[in-house]
Short mmCIF file of all heavy atoms in Angstrom, two decimals:
data_model
loop_
_atom_site.label_atom_id
_atom_site.label_comp_id
_atom_site.label_asym_id
_atom_site.label_seq_id
_atom_site.Cartn_x
_atom_site.Cartn_y
_atom_site.Cartn_z
N ASP A 7 -11.08 -25.07 10.48
CA ASP A 7 -10.11 -24.24 9.77
C ASP A 7 -10.80 -23.05 9.13
O ASP A 7 -11.88 -23.18 8.56
CB ASP A 7 -9.40 -25.05 8.67
CG ASP A 7 -8.45 -26.08 9.24
OD1 ASP A 7 -7.97 -25.88 10.37
OD2 ASP A 7 -8.20 -27.08 8.55
N ILE A 8 -10.17 -21.89 9.22
CA ILE A 8 -10.67 -20.70 8.55
C ILE A 8 -10.11 -20.71 7.13
O ILE A 8 -8.90 -20.86 6.95
CB ILE A 8 -10.21 -19.42 9.29
CG1 ILE A 8 -10.78 -19.41 10.70
CG2 ILE A 8 -10.62 -18.17 8.52
CD1 ILE A 8 -10.20 -18.31 11.57
N PRO A 9 -10.98 -20.58 6.11
CA PRO A 9 -10.45 -20.56 4.74
C PRO A 9 -9.54 -19.34 4.54
O PRO A 9 -9.97 -18.21 4.71
CB PRO A 9 -11.69 -20.45 3.86
CG PRO A 9 -12.86 -20.65 4.74
CD PRO A 9 -12.41 -20.45 6.15
N VAL A 10 -8.30 -19.60 4.22
CA VAL A 10 -7.32 -18.54 4.03
C VAL A 10 -6.61 -18.77 2.70
O VAL A 10 -6.23 -19.88 2.38
CB VAL A 10 -6.28 -18.55 5.17
CG1 VAL A 10 -5.22 -17.50 4.95
CG2 VAL A 10 -6.95 -18.34 6.51
N GLN A 11 -6.44 -17.69 1.95
CA GLN A 11 -5.73 -17.81 0.69
C GLN A 11 -4.24 -17.73 0.95
O GLN A 11 -3.68 -16.67 1.06
CB GLN A 11 -6.14 -16.74 -0.31
CG GLN A 11 -5.41 -16.92 -1.63
CD GLN A 11 -5.72 -15.84 -2.62
OE1 GLN A 11 -6.65 -15.08 -2.48
NE2 GLN A 11 -4.91 -15.77 -3.66
N GLY A 12 -3.63 -18.89 1.05
CA GLY A 12 -2.19 -18.93 1.23
C GLY A 12 -1.51 -19.67 0.10
O GLY A 12 -0.31 -19.80 0.07
N GLY A 13 -2.32 -20.18 -0.83
CA GLY A 13 -1.77 -21.03 -1.87
C GLY A 13 -1.71 -20.41 -3.23
O GLY A 13 -1.57 -21.11 -4.23
N PHE A 16 -4.70 -20.82 -8.84
CA PHE A 16 -4.68 -22.05 -9.62
C PHE A 16 -4.40 -21.72 -11.08
O PHE A 16 -5.03 -20.84 -11.66
CB PHE A 16 -6.04 -22.75 -9.50
CG PHE A 16 -6.11 -24.07 -10.20
CD1 PHE A 16 -5.52 -25.19 -9.66
CD2 PHE A 16 -6.77 -24.18 -11.41
CE1 PHE A 16 -5.59 -26.41 -10.31
CE2 PHE A 16 -6.85 -25.38 -12.06
CZ PHE A 16 -6.26 -26.51 -11.52
N ILE A 27 -7.24 -34.61 -9.77
CA ILE A 27 -7.18 -33.43 -8.91
C ILE A 27 -8.31 -33.56 -7.89
O ILE A 27 -9.48 -33.71 -8.27
CB ILE A 27 -7.35 -32.13 -9.73
CG1 ILE A 27 -6.26 -32.02 -10.80
CG2 ILE A 27 -7.35 -30.91 -8.80
CD1 ILE A 27 -6.46 -30.89 -11.78
N LEU A 28 -7.95 -33.51 -6.62
CA LEU A 28 -8.93 -33.53 -5.54
C LEU A 28 -9.15 -32.08 -5.11
O LEU A 28 -8.22 -31.41 -4.68
CB LEU A 28 -8.42 -34.37 -4.36
CG LEU A 28 -9.24 -34.34 -3.08
CD1 LEU A 28 -10.64 -34.91 -3.30
CD2 LEU A 28 -8.52 -35.09 -1.97
N LEU A 29 -10.39 -31.61 -5.25
CA LEU A 29 -10.73 -30.23 -4.88
C LEU A 29 -11.62 -30.26 -3.65
O LEU A 29 -12.69 -30.87 -3.67
CB LEU A 29 -11.47 -29.54 -6.02
CG LEU A 29 -10.69 -29.36 -7.32
CD1 LEU A 29 -11.63 -28.93 -8.43
CD2 LEU A 29 -9.59 -28.35 -7.14
N GLU A 30 -11.18 -29.61 -2.58
CA GLU A 30 -11.99 -29.47 -1.37
C GLU A 30 -12.39 -27.99 -1.29
O GLU A 30 -11.58 -27.14 -0.93
CB GLU A 30 -11.19 -29.92 -0.16
CG GLU A 30 -10.81 -31.39 -0.25
CD GLU A 30 -9.75 -31.80 0.76
OE1 GLU A 30 -10.14 -32.17 1.88
OE2 GLU A 30 -8.56 -31.72 0.41
N VAL A 31 -13.61 -27.70 -1.65
CA VAL A 31 -14.08 -26.33 -1.83
C VAL A 31 -14.55 -25.75 -0.50
O VAL A 31 -15.42 -26.31 0.16
CB VAL A 31 -15.22 -26.28 -2.87
CG1 VAL A 31 -15.66 -24.85 -3.11
CG2 VAL A 31 -14.77 -26.93 -4.18
N HIS A 32 -13.96 -24.60 -0.14
CA HIS A 32 -14.31 -23.94 1.13
C HIS A 32 -15.24 -22.75 0.95
O HIS A 32 -16.07 -22.48 1.81
CB HIS A 32 -13.03 -23.46 1.84
CG HIS A 32 -12.12 -24.57 2.21
ND1 HIS A 32 -12.42 -25.54 3.12
CD2 HIS A 32 -10.88 -24.88 1.75
CE1 HIS A 32 -11.43 -26.40 3.23
NE2 HIS A 32 -10.47 -26.02 2.40
N GLN A 33 -15.09 -22.04 -0.16
CA GLN A 33 -15.81 -20.77 -0.28
C GLN A 33 -16.01 -20.41 -1.75
O GLN A 33 -15.13 -20.67 -2.57
CB GLN A 33 -14.97 -19.70 0.42
CG GLN A 33 -15.56 -18.36 0.56
CD GLN A 33 -14.58 -17.46 1.30
OE1 GLN A 33 -13.52 -17.12 0.78
NE2 GLN A 33 -14.91 -17.09 2.52
N VAL A 48 -13.32 -19.03 -6.27
CA VAL A 48 -13.43 -20.15 -5.35
C VAL A 48 -12.15 -20.23 -4.54
O VAL A 48 -11.06 -20.02 -5.07
CB VAL A 48 -13.66 -21.47 -6.13
CG1 VAL A 48 -13.43 -22.68 -5.25
CG2 VAL A 48 -15.04 -21.50 -6.72
N LEU A 49 -12.30 -20.52 -3.26
CA LEU A 49 -11.16 -20.79 -2.39
C LEU A 49 -11.22 -22.27 -2.03
O LEU A 49 -12.24 -22.74 -1.52
CB LEU A 49 -11.23 -19.93 -1.14
CG LEU A 49 -10.00 -19.91 -0.25
CD1 LEU A 49 -8.79 -19.39 -1.01
CD2 LEU A 49 -10.25 -19.05 0.98
N ALA A 50 -10.17 -23.01 -2.37
CA ALA A 50 -10.19 -24.46 -2.18
C ALA A 50 -8.82 -24.99 -1.82
O ALA A 50 -7.80 -24.37 -2.11
CB ALA A 50 -10.67 -25.14 -3.47
N ASP A 51 -8.83 -26.16 -1.20
CA ASP A 51 -7.59 -26.92 -1.03
C ASP A 51 -7.48 -27.80 -2.27
O ASP A 51 -8.42 -28.53 -2.61
CB ASP A 51 -7.63 -27.78 0.23
CG ASP A 51 -7.64 -26.93 1.51
OD1 ASP A 51 -7.30 -25.74 1.44
OD2 ASP A 51 -7.98 -27.48 2.58
N VAL A 52 -6.35 -27.73 -2.95
CA VAL A 52 -6.16 -28.43 -4.21
C VAL A 52 -5.05 -29.48 -4.04
O VAL A 52 -3.93 -29.14 -3.68
CB VAL A 52 -5.80 -27.44 -5.34
CG1 VAL A 52 -5.62 -28.16 -6.66
CG2 VAL A 52 -6.86 -26.35 -5.46
N THR A 53 -5.41 -30.73 -4.29
CA THR A 53 -4.46 -31.84 -4.20
C THR A 53 -4.30 -32.41 -5.60
O THR A 53 -5.26 -32.91 -6.19
CB THR A 53 -4.99 -32.92 -3.23
OG1 THR A 53 -5.25 -32.30 -1.97
CG2 THR A 53 -3.99 -34.03 -3.06
N ILE A 54 -3.09 -32.32 -6.13
CA ILE A 54 -2.84 -32.71 -7.52
C ILE A 54 -1.95 -33.95 -7.58
O ILE A 54 -0.84 -33.96 -7.05
CB ILE A 54 -2.18 -31.55 -8.30
CG1 ILE A 54 -3.13 -30.36 -8.30
CG2 ILE A 54 -1.82 -31.99 -9.71
CD1 ILE A 54 -2.51 -29.08 -8.78
N GLN A 67 0.83 -33.31 -4.79
CA GLN A 67 1.21 -31.93 -4.48
C GLN A 67 -0.04 -31.29 -3.85
O GLN A 67 -1.09 -31.22 -4.48
CB GLN A 67 1.59 -31.20 -5.76
CG GLN A 67 1.83 -29.73 -5.58
CD GLN A 67 2.00 -29.03 -6.92
OE1 GLN A 67 2.22 -29.64 -7.94
NE2 GLN A 67 1.86 -27.73 -6.89
N VAL A 68 0.07 -30.86 -2.60
CA VAL A 68 -1.08 -30.31 -1.87
C VAL A 68 -0.89 -28.81 -1.68
O VAL A 68 0.16 -28.37 -1.20
CB VAL A 68 -1.24 -31.00 -0.50
CG1 VAL A 68 -2.41 -30.42 0.27
CG2 VAL A 68 -1.39 -32.50 -0.67
N THR A 69 -1.91 -28.04 -2.04
CA THR A 69 -1.88 -26.60 -1.82
C THR A 69 -3.15 -26.20 -1.08
O THR A 69 -4.25 -26.38 -1.60
CB THR A 69 -1.80 -25.84 -3.16
OG1 THR A 69 -0.72 -26.36 -3.93
CG2 THR A 69 -1.59 -24.36 -2.92
N LYS A 70 -2.98 -25.69 0.11
CA LYS A 70 -4.14 -25.26 0.90
C LYS A 70 -4.44 -23.79 0.60
O LYS A 70 -3.54 -22.99 0.46
CB LYS A 70 -3.87 -25.44 2.39
CG LYS A 70 -3.78 -26.90 2.78
CD LYS A 70 -3.98 -27.01 4.27
CE LYS A 70 -4.27 -28.43 4.68
NZ LYS A 70 -5.63 -28.83 4.55
N GLY A 71 -5.72 -23.50 0.48
CA GLY A 71 -6.15 -22.11 0.27
C GLY A 71 -5.75 -21.54 -1.08
O GLY A 71 -5.20 -20.46 -1.16
N GLN A 72 -6.04 -22.28 -2.14
CA GLN A 72 -5.71 -21.79 -3.48
C GLN A 72 -6.95 -21.14 -4.10
O GLN A 72 -8.06 -21.61 -3.95
CB GLN A 72 -5.22 -22.94 -4.36
CG GLN A 72 -4.52 -22.47 -5.61
CD GLN A 72 -3.70 -23.59 -6.24
OE1 GLN A 72 -4.24 -24.62 -6.59
NE2 GLN A 72 -2.41 -23.37 -6.39
N ARG A 73 -6.73 -20.03 -4.79
CA ARG A 73 -7.81 -19.26 -5.41
C ARG A 73 -7.98 -19.72 -6.86
O ARG A 73 -7.02 -19.80 -7.60
CB ARG A 73 -7.44 -17.78 -5.34
CG ARG A 73 -8.47 -16.80 -5.78
CD ARG A 73 -9.66 -16.65 -4.92
NE ARG A 73 -9.45 -16.12 -3.59
CZ ARG A 73 -10.43 -16.03 -2.71
NH1 ARG A 73 -11.64 -16.41 -3.01
NH2 ARG A 73 -10.20 -15.56 -1.51
N ILE A 74 -9.22 -20.04 -7.24
CA ILE A 74 -9.56 -20.43 -8.61
C ILE A 74 -10.49 -19.36 -9.16
O ILE A 74 -11.59 -19.17 -8.64
CB ILE A 74 -10.23 -21.82 -8.65
CG1 ILE A 74 -9.32 -22.87 -8.04
CG2 ILE A 74 -10.62 -22.19 -10.08
CD1 ILE A 74 -9.96 -24.23 -7.83
N GLY A 89 -17.79 -29.37 0.34
CA GLY A 89 -17.60 -30.74 -0.10
C GLY A 89 -16.33 -30.87 -0.92
O GLY A 89 -15.49 -29.98 -0.94
N ALA A 90 -16.22 -31.99 -1.60
CA ALA A 90 -15.03 -32.26 -2.40
C ALA A 90 -15.44 -32.97 -3.69
O ALA A 90 -16.51 -33.56 -3.78
CB ALA A 90 -14.05 -33.12 -1.62
N THR A 91 -14.55 -32.92 -4.67
CA THR A 91 -14.76 -33.62 -5.93
C THR A 91 -13.41 -34.07 -6.48
O THR A 91 -12.38 -33.49 -6.16
CB THR A 91 -15.51 -32.74 -6.95
OG1 THR A 91 -15.84 -33.53 -8.10
CG2 THR A 91 -14.70 -31.54 -7.38
N ARG A 130 -5.36 -39.82 4.96
CA ARG A 130 -5.00 -38.50 5.48
C ARG A 130 -5.92 -38.11 6.63
O ARG A 130 -5.48 -37.60 7.65
CB ARG A 130 -5.10 -37.48 4.34
CG ARG A 130 -4.68 -36.08 4.73
CD ARG A 130 -4.97 -35.09 3.64
NE ARG A 130 -6.42 -34.97 3.51
CZ ARG A 130 -7.02 -34.29 2.56
NH1 ARG A 130 -6.33 -33.69 1.64
NH2 ARG A 130 -8.33 -34.20 2.51
#
Side-chain angles (χ1 to χ4, degrees):
D7 289 335
I8 298 170
V10 177
Q11 182 183 346
F16 183 77
I27 301 171
L28 172 63
L29 297 168
E30 298 167 88
V31 182
H32 298 295
Q33 187 179 68
V48 166
L49 190 61
D51 293 344
V52 181
T53 304
I54 299 168
Q67 173 188 344
V68 179
T69 308
K70 292 199 165 276
Q72 195 163 59
R73 187 70 65 185
I74 301 171
T91 187
R130 183 188 67 187

